[in-house]
């Protein structure tokens, strides 16, 4: 399987990151916060969110770029740019087959994001201290 973007640096959640350390376990250090911000920035655009959703929800697990482009009133180079940013964030991957490129979700990255944002079962957040207390 050839990777079209193998020369791109994958940003975000690396394999050496603790997979199950949530935000409630400990404060993020500077480096981890910077890396996570890049992933969330990739998700912070409506076009990229739609692209990710279209790819993730596809029966069979992959979708051709030729099926993604018509869903938007954007040029093909703009769609390719958005897909490149999602690839760099480690959210999707792709493979060229002839003249077309096929994309699929990298669930290990979305699973790590979900684990990061999920508080442990049964754990309650402390009541906020404030003027109404």
């Amino acid at each position: 399987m050839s990777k079209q973007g193998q020369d791109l640096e994958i940003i975000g959640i690396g394999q050496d990151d603790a997979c199950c350390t949530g935000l409630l376990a400990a404060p993020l250090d500077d480096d981890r916060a910077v890396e996570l911000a890049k992933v969330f920035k990739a998700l912070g655009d409506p076009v990229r969110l739609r692209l990710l959703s279209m790819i993730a929800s596809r029966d069979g697990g992959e979708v051709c770029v030729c099926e993604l482009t018509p869903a938007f009133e954007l040029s093909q180079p703009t769609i390719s740019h958005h897909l490149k940013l999602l690839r760099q964030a480690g959210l999707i991957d792709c493979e060229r087959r002839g003249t077309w490129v096929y994309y699929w979700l990298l669930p290990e990255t979305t699973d790590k994001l979900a684990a990061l944002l999920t508080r442990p079962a049964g754990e309650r957040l402390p009541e906020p201290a404030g003027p109404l207390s």
Side-chain angles (χ1 to χ4, degrees):
M1 172 166 47
S2 66
K3 305 280 180 163
Q4 179 191 26
Q6 61 184 255
D7 59 329
L8 298 173
E9 176 186 350
I10 301 299
I11 59 175
I13 302 174
Q15 293 177 349
D16 59 342
D17 291 333
C19 70
C20 301
T21 304
L23 291 175
L24 298 179
L28 294 174
D29 64 28
D30 288 342
D31 292 338
R32 180 127 162 102
V34 167
E35 291 303 308
L36 283 169
K38 293 174 185 176
V39 176
F40 285 114
K41 184 175 181 178
L43 292 171
D45 181 272
V47 171
R48 289 192 290 271
L49 275 176
R50 285 187 59 210
L51 284 166
L52 186 68
S53 174
M54 291 171 72
I55 294 166
S57 64
R58 183 60 169 217
D59 285 338
E62 62 183 28
V63 61
C64 178
V65 70
C66 63
E67 298 173 76
L68 296 171
T69 305
F72 300 90
E73 292 184 13
L74 298 169
S75 68
Q76 183 277 325
T78 300
I79 296 297
S80 292
H81 173 72
H82 285 296
L83 290 166
K84 175 184 170 182
L85 294 176
L86 290 171
R87 278 191 351 261
Q88 287 177 323
L91 293 162
I92 62 171
D93 205 351
C94 65
E95 177 181 56
R96 178 172 294 281
R97 298 179 195 154
T99 59
W100 299 112
V101 179
Y102 289 80
Y103 291 87
W104 58 87
L105 179 73
L106 294 175
E108 55 276 5
T109 302
T110 55
D111 290 349
K112 288 178 182 180
L113 285 175
L116 175 78
L117 297 173
T118 302
R119 51 188 180 96
E123 185 173 317
R124 294 187 53 182
L125 292 175
E127 295 294 323
L132 300 177
S133 299

